[in-house]
Amino acid sequence: MADFTATVHQNEFLPDGGTDVHGIVSVTCSGAGTVAPMSSASGESGEIIIVDVSGSMDVQGVQAAAYAASAALDQIIDGVWFAIVAGNHEAALCYPNGTTAAMARMSPQTRLEAKRSLQRLAPGGGTAMGRWLLAAGQLFGTVPTLSKRHAILLTDGANQHETPDELSWAIEQVRGRFQADCRGLGAAWQVAEVRRIAEALMGTVDLIRTWDGLPQDFAQLMQQSMGRGISDTQLRVWAPQGAEVLFVKQVSPTLEDLSGRRVEVNALTGGYDTGAWGDETRDYHVAVRLAPKAIGQEQLAARVQLVVGGEVAAQGLVKARWSADSLLTAQISPEVAHYTGQTELASAIQDGLRAKAIGDDVTATSKLGRAVQLARETGDEAATSRLARVVDIEDAATGRVRLRRHVDKLDEMELDTASTKTTRVRPQ
C-alpha cells in the first residue's frame, strides 16, 4: 500500500493590505510498488515505443534505435501490454505484426518476436510526429482496461511533413490519454517542438548526443515507468469563495505549469492530473490571491490534496495571517524564493537562446547573464556549467557575460532541454 505525505513551506504572514499567498507543497510517495502486470482492481499498464525511422536516421541510426528499443523491452514486466510504432511521414505498426491496430502482452515469446521485428526496420521517408502520436492513441484505445499508459518517443529531426497546426491538433487529440517521455537524437531536431509534445503529455524531454547513449537512456526510462505503480492521481486545490488561484506549478524535479490542466471538481476546487507516481517527491508552487483582511485576522488560503482513485491520500494547508509586524511579513520562505528563482532561470535560458538564434545579441547577453546570476543564487552548479559552454562568465554575481563566438550546437540544445530540471532547496 502506497503512503503519501504532504508538507507545506511558506511564510503565512501578510502585511496590511496584502493579498497574495505563496506556498510550496512537497508531496512524497513511498511504497508505490511496480505496475500491475495483469488485470487488477487498479487496472492494467501499457507501454508503446515510438522509433523514428525517417531517412535522416540512416542505417546506423535505425540499428542503434532498434538496439535501444530492445533494451527497453527487456525492462517491461511480463503481463504488461506493449507495442512498437515505426515513425516517418507515416506511422506503421512494427509490433505486433498485422494489419490492424493491436497491442500484445509481454512474455518471453512476445519479447523475442518484438526484437526480431525491430531487426527489419529500415530508414526512409520524412517526419510527421503528430501521426505517431495519433497511432499511439489508437493503440492504447484497443485495451480498455488500461489505467496507466506510457510511451517513449525518439526523433532525430524537425517535424517537416506536418504543419504546426496539424501537430497541435494531434497533440490535443491525445492529451490526457497517455504520458510520453520524448528524446531527441543529435542536433537536427527542434527542442521547442518536442518539448511541446512532452509537456502536453506529462513527460520529459532530453537530448541524446550520440547513438551509443540511446540504449541506457531507453532502459532507464522504461525501468522508471515500471516503478510507477500508482496511477489515477490528481492534485486538487481548494480556495475560498472570492479567492483567485493565480497558478499551480510543479517546481521539482522539473518545472511544469499545471494551470492549463485545471478541471473543475466543484465551484471552489480545481483538479490537476499528475500522471503516474513511483517512490518520489514532487514539489508544487501554489499561489492564491485573497481579499485583504484586518490586522490579526487569519484565513485558510488553499487546501492542497493528492487524490488517488478518488480518495484523499495526503493534504497540506496554505494559510494567511495579517500582521503589522514588518519583521514577520518581510520574511520570504526559502523554498518559495528558491523555486521562484529556478523558474526565472529556466525562462531566462530559453529567452536568451531564442534571442541568440535570431541574432539579437544584446537580448541574448542580457538574458543569459541573468541566468548565470540566478544559477549562482540558487546553487544550481549544473546549470552554471552548461551556461559556461555557451557564454564566457566574467562575473557570475552580477551576471556579466560575453557570448562565445564558437559554440557547439549540442551544447546549446543541452542547455535548453535541461533548463526545466530543477535543484532542491539547499540546507540552510
Side-chain angles (χ1 to χ4, degrees), residues 19 28 33 71 87 94 110 118 143 162 179 181 196 338 345 387 406:
T19 60
T28 298
C94 173
T110 57
L118 287 167
V143 187
E162 285 177 327
Q179 292 182 252
D181 289 308
R196 190 154 62 96
H338 176 81
L345 170 61
L387 281 159
H406 303 289

Side-chain angles (χ1 to χ4, degrees), residues 229-295:
I230 305 297
S231 57
D232 190 17
T233 59
Q234 188 181 61
L235 190 76
R236 291 185 181 174
V237 179
W238 170 94
Q241 186 74 40
E244 177 188 0
V245 178
L246 299 176
F247 60 76
V248 177
K249 298 177 180 178
Q250 178 182 289
V251 290
S252 178
T254 58
L255 292 173
E256 200 168 347
D257 193 341
L258 307 184
S259 304
R261 294 186 197 165
R262 179 185 172 99
V263 295
E264 189 171 292
V265 177
N266 56 51
L268 301 179
T269 307
Y272 307 84
D273 192 357
T274 65
W277 284 71
D279 290 348
E280 58 184 303
T281 296
R282 302 184 196 178
D283 294 342
Y284 298 95
H285 186 171
V286 176
V288 178
R289 178 164 292 162
L290 303 172
K293 293 189 177 297
I295 296 297

Side-chain angles (χ1 to χ4, degrees), residues 1-314:
M1 182 67 178
D3 179 51
F4 285 87
T5 59
T7 305
V8 177
H9 308 278
Q10 69 161 136
N11 176 21
E12 62 189 56
F13 293 100
L14 293 176
D16 187 20
T19 60
D20 293 357
V21 183
H22 292 259
I24 301 297
V25 183
S26 296
V27 181
T28 298
C29 175
S30 58
T34 58
V35 298
M38 302 291 281
S39 295
S40 68
S42 60
E44 298 185 280
S45 297
E47 297 285 344
I48 295 178
I49 303 170
I50 306 172
V51 178
D52 188 340
V53 294
S54 61
S56 59
M57 286 287 287
D58 69 40
V59 173
Q60 189 175 3
V62 170
Q63 289 176 344
Y67 184 54
S70 294
L73 292 173
D74 286 335
Q75 301 300 320
I76 299 178
I77 297 171
D78 284 359
V80 169
W81 292 92
F82 79 104
I84 304 171
V85 172
N88 49 26
H89 57 282
E90 298 177 339
L93 185 60
C94 173
Y95 188 85
N97 300 317
T99 57
T100 59
M103 298 183 74
R105 279 198 187 277
M106 181 60 77
S107 68
Q109 180 62 32
T110 57
R111 183 179 289 108
L112 178 61
E113 291 173 357
K115 288 184 176 182
R116 287 173 176 166
S117 72
L118 287 167
Q119 296 172 5
R120 295 191 289 271
L121 293 178
T127 303
M129 286 182 275
R131 296 185 183 182
W132 310 354
L133 298 175
L134 293 172
Q138 183 183 11
L139 285 166
F140 280 127
T142 64
V143 187
T145 55
L146 295 180
S147 62
K148 176 180 176 291
R149 306 171 188 86
H150 172 255
I152 299 175
L153 183 152
L154 171 70
T155 185
D156 82 326
N159 204 50
Q160 296 177 336
H161 288 75
E162 285 177 327
T163 66
D165 286 345
E166 287 174 327
L167 177 59
S168 295
W169 182 83
I171 291 172
E172 290 308 312
Q173 298 309 300
V174 299
R175 186 191 293 270
R177 295 175 61 187
F178 61 91
Q179 292 182 252
D181 289 308
C182 303
R183 294 296 181 264
L185 174 64
W189 58 286
Q190 302 296 317
V191 174
E193 194 170 65
V194 179
R195 177 183 284 129
R196 190 154 62 96
I197 296 172
E199 288 181 348
L201 302 183
M202 296 182 291
T204 59
V205 59
D206 216 337
L207 166 71
I208 307 297
R209 285 177 172 259
T210 58
W211 296 321
D212 56 6
L214 280 173
Q216 181 179 356
D217 188 79
F218 267 44
Q220 184 178 23
L221 284 173
M222 193 61 75
Q223 192 174 45
Q224 290 172 347
S225 183
M226 292 297 100
R228 296 191 185 108
I230 305 297
S231 57
D232 190 17
T233 59
Q234 188 181 61
L235 190 76
R236 291 185 181 174
V237 179
W238 170 94
Q241 186 74 40
E244 177 188 0
V245 178
L246 299 176
F247 60 76
V248 177
K249 298 177 180 178
Q250 178 182 289
V251 290
S252 178
T254 58
L255 292 173
E256 200 168 347
D257 193 341
L258 307 184
S259 304
R261 294 186 197 165
R262 179 185 172 99
V263 295
E264 189 171 292
V265 177
N266 56 51
L268 301 179
T269 307
Y272 307 84
D273 192 357
T274 65
W277 284 71
D279 290 348
E280 58 184 303
T281 296
R282 302 184 196 178
D283 294 342
Y284 298 95
H285 186 171
V286 176
V288 178
R289 178 164 292 162
L290 303 172
K293 293 189 177 297
I295 296 297
Q297 288 196 287
E298 301 179 11
Q299 184 176 11
L300 181 61
R303 183 185 297 115
V304 182
Q305 300 173 328
L306 198 287
V307 176
V308 180
E311 300 294 328
V312 177

